[in-house]
Amino acid sequence: MQNKTPLFDALKNYHKTDIVSFDVPGHKKRFQNEFSDYVGHKIIELDTNSMKELDILNNPTGVIREAHQLMADAYSADEAFFLVNGTTSGIQTMVMSACNPGDKIILPRNVHKSAINALILSGATPVYIDPEVDETLGISLGISVEKIKEALIKDPDIKAVFIINPTYYGAVSDLEEIIKICHEKNMVVLVDEAHGAHFPFHEKFPKNAMALGADMSAVSIHKTGGSLTQSSVLFLNHRRIKQERVKNMLNLTQTTSASYLLMTSLDVARKTLVTQGDEIFNDLLEMISKFREELNSIPGIRCFKSILSDKLYDFDDTKIGINLHGLGLTGFEGYDILREKYNIQMELADTHNILGIASIGDTWEDYQKLIDALKEMAENYEGNNQLIDFNELESLELVVSPRDAFYSETESIPLSEAIGKVSGESIMVYPPGIPLLIQGERITKDLIDHIYFLKEQKAVITGMNDKTLNNISILKGEHR
C-alpha cells in the first residue's frame, strides 16, 4: 500500500488531459513570464485548483482522503490531515481543538511563537514550565517528568499538555512516560513534532509521538522529510478529541485554496520515507558520525552530542549543534562568518552555538566543506567577547494572559525605561522563533541587557513594532 501515491497520480493524470480552463488560477496553466521561464513551465501547468478528480482539502472524500490515510498509517496515527500553511496552522488547530477559552494548558517556556499565537486564538491559559538547561552549552533541553508531575499537583484542573519532540536543538523528553501520566488524569497530550518528521523511519531515532499514544501531533515533513517548504501534516488519535472538532478548527486556520504542488510533495515524500527511509537514514547517520568525529578533533570546536549533560533523556542525531566558545566567537559571529566568507548557511545561531540540520538531501561533500571552513576559523579567529550566560536570563513573570495582553491597549516607551513594565508584544530571535519575551510578561533588566547584546551581534530580532529596536510596547493601565 505504501508504494502508492494517489494524489500525485491523480495530478499527473489531470495534467495529461490538457483541459480548457475557465476556473482559477488566473495563469490558466499557460501564461508565461520571467518566473515560469526560470523555474520551469511544468510548475505552472501543475498549479491547479480543487475539482472532483483532484478532491478538496477541506472536505476530502477521494484521492486526498486516500493520501491522508496512507500518511496516518506511516506515522501510526488514526487520522492525518495535510497542511499547506505549515506546522503553524497545525499547532493552532491542536490547541484550539483541545482547549476552550480559559482552559489551562502546560507548555514549556521554549515553545515556538506559533504556540503562543495559538493561546491568543484559543483563549487558553498557559501554565509555563521551564525546560531543563545544559549549563555548558547554554541551551534548553526537554521537559522532565518530575516537572510535569509538580505542575499537575499544583494545578489539578489542567486540561492539556503541549510537548516539543524534539526541541530545535535535538533534545527529546521522556514522552512515553509523560503521555502515560497525563492520560491517567484524562488529559490531552499535544506534540510539536516539527523537527521529527524522520523519527518513524529508522530504529536509531527516538519514537514518534503518535506511535507512543499522543492525542495529536503536528509534523513539518518539509523540514527533514523531503517535501516542499510550507507542507506539513497534522495527526490525530481519536480517543480524546473528536475528529469533527479538529476539522472545524482546521477550517478556521487553513486556506481553502490549497496548493497541489505542496500536497503532492507530501504524498511522494511519505512514500519515499516509508520505502527507502531505512537505507537513506542509515547512510545519513554514518555520515553524521564521521562528521562529528572529525569536528571534535578541531581545537576549540565541540559537537553537542559529545558534551550534553545527563539532564538529557534522548537526542536526535540529525541535529548538528556546534559549540564555538573555545574559539572566542559567539554563535552569531560564527554564523555570519560561515555565510559571508564560506557560503555556508547554518540553520540558526545563539550566544554560544551554531546549529545545522542534517537530512535526506545531504552529501559528504557538504560536510567536508563545513569541516574545512571550521578548521580555518579555528586557525584564524580569536575573539574577545564577553559572552552572556544563557542561564543568567531569569524566568519571566506572567502577569496577563497572552490573549488579554494581545487585545489590551499599549503604548511605546524606550526599551531602557521598560524594567518592571508588562510587555505588549513578543520578542524573539528568528530562527528559531522561540520568544525571549511574551506579551503579558514582566520585563526585567537581564532581558533588556540580552536584547542589547543581540543587537550588537546583529541577530535577527522579530516581533518588536519598533524596527530600530529602541522602543518597546507595554500595556497601558493597571498592569503597566
Side-chain angles (χ1 to χ4, degrees):
M1 285 290 290
Q2 288 291 342
N3 282 303
K4 298 175 65 177
T5 51
L7 182 55
F8 184 45
D9 292 346
L11 184 62
K12 289 188 291 185
N13 289 335
Y14 171 77
H15 179 249
K16 292 175 185 176
T17 63
D18 195 26
I19 194 168
V20 176
S21 175
F22 280 94
D23 63 347
V24 295
H27 54 63
K28 299 299 177 76
K29 307 173 189 62
R30 65 169 64 93
F31 185 76
Q32 297 189 36
N33 57 20
E34 59 189 292
F35 175 76
S36 61
D37 291 342
Y38 187 79
V39 302
H41 196 66
K42 183 167 282 190
I43 289 179
I44 306 300
E45 294 171 357
L46 293 173
D47 181 41
T48 191
N49 191 33
S50 299
M51 58 194 67
K52 286 183 179 180
E53 60 261 54
L54 294 180
D55 211 356
I56 300 173
L57 181 59
N58 63 0
N59 186 36
T61 58
V63 289
I64 294 178
R65 175 64 185 153
E66 187 179 354
H68 278 178
Q69 192 56 57
L70 288 167
M71 185 69 78
D73 292 345
Y75 281 82
S76 304
D78 292 336
E79 197 80 34
F81 307 89
F82 286 177
L83 303 173
V84 294
N85 294 39
T87 295
T88 289
S89 63
I91 287 173
Q92 292 169 349
T93 297
M94 287 197 300
V95 175
M96 291 192 291
S97 296
C99 298
N100 292 321
D103 285 344
K104 294 179 181 178
I105 178 172
I106 291 175
L107 302 97
R109 182 54 184 78
N110 59 327
V111 292
H112 189 266
K113 67 175 184 177
S114 58
I116 305 304
N117 291 340
L119 298 177
I120 295 170
L121 292 170
S122 67
T125 301
V127 178
Y128 294 126
I129 293 181
D130 288 328
E132 300 299 311
V133 171
D134 187 295
E135 290 84 1
T136 302
L137 296 171
I139 65 168
S140 296
L141 303 175
I143 291 293
S144 70
V145 172
E146 289 69 27
K147 286 191 176 181
I148 294 288
K149 290 179 177 178
E150 290 171 6
L152 297 181
I153 291 171
K154 184 178 180 181
D155 235 330
D157 58 340
I158 290 171
K159 180 75 175 291
V161 174
F162 185 96
I163 299 293
I164 309 167
N165 187 63
T167 68
Y168 224 123
Y169 291 100
V172 174
S173 302
D174 187 353
L175 186 56
E176 184 172 14
E177 184 64 20
I178 291 171
I179 291 171
K180 178 184 175 183
I181 291 168
C182 293
H183 282 176
E184 285 174 353
K185 297 181 179 296
N186 201 32
M187 293 167 52
V188 173
V189 180
L190 312 175
V191 182
D192 174 356
E193 214 158 38
H195 283 269
H198 52 291
F199 278 8
F201 307 108
H202 197 281
E203 62 180 8
K204 290 187 178 179
F205 294 142
K207 293 288 186 181
N208 71 299
M210 302 315 286
L212 292 173
D215 297 288
M216 296 184 76
S217 71
V219 180
S220 298
I221 310 295
H222 69 91
K223 282 185 166 65
T224 58
S227 65
L228 293 178
T229 296
Q230 203 172 310
S231 60
S232 297
V233 180
L234 178 66
F235 294 101
L236 169 68
N237 281 330
H238 287 152
R239 184 176 173 187
R240 289 171 181 81
I241 299 178
K242 292 182 178 180
Q243 179 182 351
E244 293 76 16
R245 181 174 174 94
V246 175
K247 287 183 175 179
N248 288 337
M249 296 305 173
L250 268 175
N251 286 337
L252 290 177
T253 62
Q254 181 147 252
T255 178
T256 57
S257 301
S259 166
Y260 280 85
L261 296 172
L262 297 182
M263 291 190 291
T264 53
S265 79
L266 287 169
D267 199 23
V268 175
R270 181 266 314 153
K271 175 186 173 182
T272 303
L273 289 169
V274 174
T275 61
Q276 303 174 46
D278 193 62
E279 179 182 356
I280 289 170
F281 291 121
N282 247 347
D283 293 342
L284 179 64
L285 288 168
E286 286 181 10
M287 281 197 294
I288 293 170
S289 178
K290 181 182 177 183
F291 171 77
R292 282 201 177 98
E293 185 178 344
E294 294 210 22
L295 218 58
N296 283 328
S297 69
I298 302 173
I301 298 287
R302 297 183 298 174
C303 265
F304 278 15
K305 193 173 183 183
S306 62
I307 52 176
L308 278 168
S309 72
D310 56 7
K311 296 177 183 177
L312 187 72
Y313 175 76
D314 203 354
F315 183 71
D316 173 17
D317 276 316
T318 68
K319 302 301 180 286
I320 302 175
I322 303 170
N323 183 271
L324 301 179
H325 192 86
L327 299 186
L329 291 170
T330 67
F332 302 108
E333 290 168 330
Y335 178 98
D336 288 342
I337 291 167
L338 285 170
R339 182 66 182 88
E340 294 165 9
K341 183 173 181 179
Y342 299 99
N343 201 33
I344 295 173
Q345 180 66 59
M346 301 302 289
E347 174 68 13
L348 64 83
D350 63 30
T351 305
H352 302 288
N353 313 291
I354 52 176
L355 181 76
I357 305 295
S359 194
I360 62 178
D362 290 359
T363 66
W364 179 251
E365 288 74 20
D366 294 336
Y367 287 102
Q368 190 62 58
K369 287 177 182 177
L370 181 54
I371 291 167
D372 292 341
L374 289 168
K375 282 181 177 178
E376 189 170 302
M377 286 170 60
E379 294 170 358
N380 297 334
Y381 288 96
E382 293 182 7
N384 296 302
N385 303 289
Q386 297 298 313
L387 300 183
I388 293 179
D389 192 335
F390 177 91
N391 300 311
E392 293 178 2
L393 289 177
E394 61 191 62
S395 298
L396 301 178
E397 176 192 3
L398 179 66
V399 181
V400 181
S401 75
R403 181 186 178 95
D404 288 344
F406 182 82
Y407 287 109
S408 294
E409 191 175 358
T410 63
E411 62 178 315
S412 180
I413 65 171
L415 182 61
S416 59
E417 299 175 12
I419 298 172
K421 308 297 184 184
V422 178
S423 178
E425 58 189 1
S426 289
I427 301 174
M428 63 212 72
V429 178
Y430 193 86
I434 296 169
L436 297 168
L437 174 69
I438 297 170
Q439 56 259 73
E441 290 182 331
R442 195 175 301 282
I443 301 164
T444 64
K445 182 180 184 301
D446 280 351
L447 176 74
I448 292 173
D449 289 343
H450 193 63
I451 293 171
Y452 285 139
F453 167 75
L454 293 172
K455 286 177 62 176
E456 292 172 2
Q457 292 292 312
K458 299 179 182 178
V460 179
I461 302 174
T462 66
M464 294 181 74
N465 293 324
D466 177 16
K467 301 310 175 187
T468 69
L469 310 180
N470 293 320
N471 300 291
I472 188 170
S473 295
I474 63 165
L475 300 190
K476 279 187 174 182
E478 60 179 305
H479 293 299
R480 61 168 294 179

